[in-house]
PDB file of all heavy atoms in Angstrom:
ATOM      1  N   THR A  96     -20.696  20.326   1.652  1.00 97.00           N
ATOM      2  CA  THR A  96     -20.909  19.161   2.501  1.00 97.00           C
ATOM      3  C   THR A  96     -20.377  19.478   3.894  1.00 97.00           C
ATOM      4  O   THR A  96     -19.657  20.463   4.081  1.00 97.00           O
ATOM      5  CB  THR A  96     -20.222  17.910   1.907  1.00 97.00           C
ATOM      6  OG1 THR A  96     -20.584  16.768   2.690  1.00 97.00           O
ATOM      7  CG2 THR A  96     -18.719  18.053   1.868  1.00 97.00           C
ATOM      8  N   HIS A  97     -20.747  18.672   4.858  1.00 93.00           N
ATOM      9  CA  HIS A  97     -20.233  18.811   6.228  1.00 93.00           C
ATOM     10  C   HIS A  97     -20.516  20.216   6.743  1.00 93.00           C
ATOM     11  O   HIS A  97     -19.654  20.876   7.321  1.00 93.00           O
ATOM     12  CB  HIS A  97     -18.729  18.488   6.213  1.00 93.00           C
ATOM     13  CG  HIS A  97     -18.134  18.246   7.558  1.00 93.00           C
ATOM     14  ND1 HIS A  97     -18.676  17.395   8.476  1.00 93.00           N
ATOM     15  CD2 HIS A  97     -17.011  18.758   8.123  1.00 93.00           C
ATOM     16  CE1 HIS A  97     -17.923  17.370   9.559  1.00 93.00           C
ATOM     17  NE2 HIS A  97     -16.902  18.202   9.375  1.00 93.00           N
ATOM     18  N   VAL A  98     -21.756  20.695   6.492  1.00 94.00           N
ATOM     19  CA  VAL A  98     -22.152  22.041   6.921  1.00 94.00           C
ATOM     20  C   VAL A  98     -22.266  22.045   8.439  1.00 94.00           C
ATOM     21  O   VAL A  98     -22.831  21.134   9.035  1.00 94.00           O
ATOM     22  CB  VAL A  98     -23.474  22.462   6.255  1.00 94.00           C
ATOM     23  CG1 VAL A  98     -24.012  23.750   6.850  1.00 94.00           C
ATOM     24  CG2 VAL A  98     -23.267  22.613   4.745  1.00 94.00           C
ATOM     25  N   GLY A  99     -21.697  23.074   9.052  1.00 86.00           N
ATOM     26  CA  GLY A  99     -21.602  23.149  10.506  1.00 86.00           C
ATOM     27  C   GLY A  99     -22.939  23.265  11.206  1.00 86.00           C
ATOM     28  O   GLY A  99     -23.945  23.675  10.613  1.00 86.00           O
ATOM     29  N   PRO A 100     -22.919  22.913  12.483  1.00 86.00           N
ATOM     30  CA  PRO A 100     -24.142  23.026  13.285  1.00 86.00           C
ATOM     31  C   PRO A 100     -24.576  24.486  13.377  1.00 86.00           C
ATOM     32  O   PRO A 100     -23.749  25.395  13.390  1.00 86.00           O
ATOM     33  CB  PRO A 100     -23.722  22.484  14.656  1.00 86.00           C
ATOM     34  CG  PRO A 100     -22.238  22.532  14.675  1.00 86.00           C
ATOM     35  CD  PRO A 100     -21.782  22.477  13.259  1.00 86.00           C
ATOM     36  N   GLY A 101     -25.863  24.686  13.398  1.00 87.00           N
ATOM     37  CA  GLY A 101     -26.392  26.036  13.484  1.00 87.00           C
ATOM     38  C   GLY A 101     -26.570  26.705  12.133  1.00 87.00           C
ATOM     39  O   GLY A 101     -27.069  27.831  12.066  1.00 87.00           O
ATOM     40  N   THR A 102     -26.162  26.049  11.057  1.00 92.00           N
ATOM     41  CA  THR A 102     -26.352  26.595   9.713  1.00 92.00           C
ATOM     42  C   THR A 102     -27.226  25.628   8.929  1.00 92.00           C
ATOM     43  O   THR A 102     -26.870  24.465   8.768  1.00 92.00           O
ATOM     44  CB  THR A 102     -25.002  26.774   8.984  1.00 92.00           C
ATOM     45  OG1 THR A 102     -24.143  27.587   9.778  1.00 92.00           O
ATOM     46  CG2 THR A 102     -25.203  27.428   7.626  1.00 92.00           C
ATOM     47  N   GLU A 103     -28.346  26.105   8.478  1.00 95.00           N
ATOM     48  CA  GLU A 103     -29.238  25.284   7.659  1.00 95.00           C
ATOM     49  C   GLU A 103     -28.650  25.159   6.252  1.00 95.00           C
ATOM     50  O   GLU A 103     -28.003  26.095   5.765  1.00 95.00           O
ATOM     51  CB  GLU A 103     -30.635  25.903   7.587  1.00 95.00           C
ATOM     52  CG  GLU A 103     -31.355  25.911   8.906  1.00 95.00           C
ATOM     53  CD  GLU A 103     -31.637  24.511   9.418  1.00 95.00           C
ATOM     54  OE1 GLU A 103     -32.008  23.633   8.607  1.00 95.00           O
ATOM     55  OE2 GLU A 103     -31.461  24.284  10.629  1.00 95.00           O
ATOM     56  N   PRO A 104     -28.870  24.021   5.567  1.00 96.00           N
ATOM     57  CA  PRO A 104     -28.321  23.859   4.215  1.00 96.00           C
ATOM     58  C   PRO A 104     -28.675  24.999   3.261  1.00 96.00           C
ATOM     59  O   PRO A 104     -27.813  25.469   2.523  1.00 96.00           O
ATOM     60  CB  PRO A 104     -28.914  22.527   3.750  1.00 96.00           C
ATOM     61  CG  PRO A 104     -29.090  21.757   5.025  1.00 96.00           C
ATOM     62  CD  PRO A 104     -29.525  22.788   6.030  1.00 96.00           C
ATOM     63  N   GLY A 105     -29.908  25.467   3.278  1.00 96.00           N
ATOM     64  CA  GLY A 105     -30.305  26.565   2.383  1.00 96.00           C
ATOM     65  C   GLY A 105     -29.553  27.847   2.681  1.00 96.00           C
ATOM     66  O   GLY A 105     -29.174  28.588   1.771  1.00 96.00           O
ATOM     67  N   GLU A 106     -29.331  28.113   3.959  1.00 97.00           N
ATOM     68  CA  GLU A 106     -28.555  29.289   4.356  1.00 97.00           C
ATOM     69  C   GLU A 106     -27.108  29.152   3.886  1.00 97.00           C
ATOM     70  O   GLU A 106     -26.511  30.112   3.384  1.00 97.00           O
ATOM     71  CB  GLU A 106     -28.595  29.444   5.879  1.00 97.00           C
ATOM     72  CG  GLU A 106     -27.772  30.591   6.399  1.00 97.00           C
ATOM     73  CD  GLU A 106     -27.690  30.614   7.925  1.00 97.00           C
ATOM     74  OE1 GLU A 106     -28.242  29.718   8.590  1.00 97.00           O
ATOM     75  OE2 GLU A 106     -27.035  31.547   8.435  1.00 97.00           O
ATOM     76  N   ALA A 107     -26.537  27.953   4.031  1.00 97.00           N
ATOM     77  CA  ALA A 107     -25.156  27.710   3.592  1.00 97.00           C
ATOM     78  C   ALA A 107     -25.034  27.931   2.087  1.00 97.00           C
ATOM     79  O   ALA A 107     -24.073  28.562   1.621  1.00 97.00           O
ATOM     80  CB  ALA A 107     -24.715  26.305   3.968  1.00 97.00           C
ATOM     81  N   VAL A 108     -25.997  27.435   1.325  1.00 98.00           N
ATOM     82  CA  VAL A 108     -25.974  27.626  -0.138  1.00 98.00           C
ATOM     83  C   VAL A 108     -26.031  29.117  -0.469  1.00 98.00           C
ATOM     84  O   VAL A 108     -25.290  29.602  -1.329  1.00 98.00           O
ATOM     85  CB  VAL A 108     -27.116  26.836  -0.815  1.00 98.00           C
ATOM     86  CG1 VAL A 108     -27.306  27.264  -2.258  1.00 98.00           C
ATOM     87  CG2 VAL A 108     -26.845  25.335  -0.725  1.00 98.00           C
ATOM     88  N   ALA A 109     -26.888  29.867   0.210  1.00 98.00           N
ATOM     89  CA  ALA A 109     -27.004  31.306  -0.047  1.00 98.00           C
ATOM     90  C   ALA A 109     -25.704  32.036   0.295  1.00 98.00           C
ATOM     91  O   ALA A 109     -25.267  32.925  -0.449  1.00 98.00           O
ATOM     92  CB  ALA A 109     -28.171  31.891   0.747  1.00 98.00           C
ATOM     93  N   LEU A 110     -25.064  31.663   1.391  1.00 97.00           N
ATOM     94  CA  LEU A 110     -23.800  32.292   1.781  1.00 97.00           C
ATOM     95  C   LEU A 110     -22.707  32.006   0.753  1.00 97.00           C
ATOM     96  O   LEU A 110     -21.931  32.898   0.390  1.00 97.00           O
ATOM     97  CB  LEU A 110     -23.370  31.806   3.165  1.00 97.00           C
ATOM     98  CG  LEU A 110     -24.204  32.321   4.330  1.00 97.00           C
ATOM     99  CD1 LEU A 110     -23.898  31.521   5.600  1.00 97.00           C
ATOM    100  CD2 LEU A 110     -23.967  33.808   4.545  1.00 97.00           C
ATOM    101  N   ALA A 111     -22.642  30.767   0.278  1.00 98.00           N
ATOM    102  CA  ALA A 111     -21.640  30.416  -0.736  1.00 98.00           C
ATOM    103  C   ALA A 111     -21.936  31.128  -2.051  1.00 98.00           C
ATOM    104  O   ALA A 111     -21.022  31.632  -2.716  1.00 98.00           O
ATOM    105  CB  ALA A 111     -21.602  28.908  -0.944  1.00 98.00           C
ATOM    106  N   ALA A 112     -23.216  31.195  -2.420  1.00 98.00           N
ATOM    107  CA  ALA A 112     -23.608  31.811  -3.692  1.00 98.00           C
ATOM    108  C   ALA A 112     -23.332  33.310  -3.714  1.00 98.00           C
ATOM    109  O   ALA A 112     -23.153  33.891  -4.783  1.00 98.00           O
ATOM    110  CB  ALA A 112     -25.084  31.540  -3.976  1.00 98.00           C
ATOM    111  N   ALA A 113     -23.260  33.936  -2.547  1.00 98.00           N
ATOM    112  CA  ALA A 113     -22.941  35.363  -2.490  1.00 98.00           C
ATOM    113  C   ALA A 113     -21.496  35.631  -2.928  1.00 98.00           C
ATOM    114  O   ALA A 113     -21.175  36.733  -3.369  1.00 98.00           O
ATOM    115  CB  ALA A 113     -23.172  35.903  -1.081  1.00 98.00           C
ATOM    116  N   ALA A 114     -20.643  34.603  -2.830  1.00 97.00           N
ATOM    117  CA  ALA A 114     -19.232  34.760  -3.186  1.00 97.00           C
ATOM    118  C   ALA A 114     -18.853  34.027  -4.466  1.00 97.00           C
ATOM    119  O   ALA A 114     -17.741  34.173  -4.958  1.00 97.00           O
ATOM    120  CB  ALA A 114     -18.355  34.248  -2.038  1.00 97.00           C
ATOM    121  N   TYR A 115     -19.786  33.226  -5.001  1.00 98.00           N
ATOM    122  CA  TYR A 115     -19.485  32.356  -6.147  1.00 98.00           C
ATOM    123  C   TYR A 115     -20.652  32.427  -7.116  1.00 98.00           C
ATOM    124  O   TYR A 115     -21.801  32.187  -6.740  1.00 98.00           O
ATOM    125  CB  TYR A 115     -19.274  30.924  -5.642  1.00 98.00           C
ATOM    126  CG  TYR A 115     -19.161  29.882  -6.711  1.00 98.00           C
ATOM    127  CD1 TYR A 115     -18.074  29.853  -7.573  1.00 98.00           C
ATOM    128  CD2 TYR A 115     -20.138  28.905  -6.861  1.00 98.00           C
ATOM    129  CE1 TYR A 115     -17.964  28.887  -8.552  1.00 98.00           C
ATOM    130  CE2 TYR A 115     -20.034  27.929  -7.829  1.00 98.00           C
ATOM    131  CZ  TYR A 115     -18.950  27.928  -8.671  1.00 98.00           C
ATOM    132  OH  TYR A 115     -18.841  26.966  -9.645  1.00 98.00           O
TER     133      TYR A 115
END
Side-chain angles (χ1 to χ4, degrees):
T96 186
H97 195 50
V98 171
T102 304
E103 294 296 319
E106 177 187 2
V108 167
L110 289 167
Y115 171 67

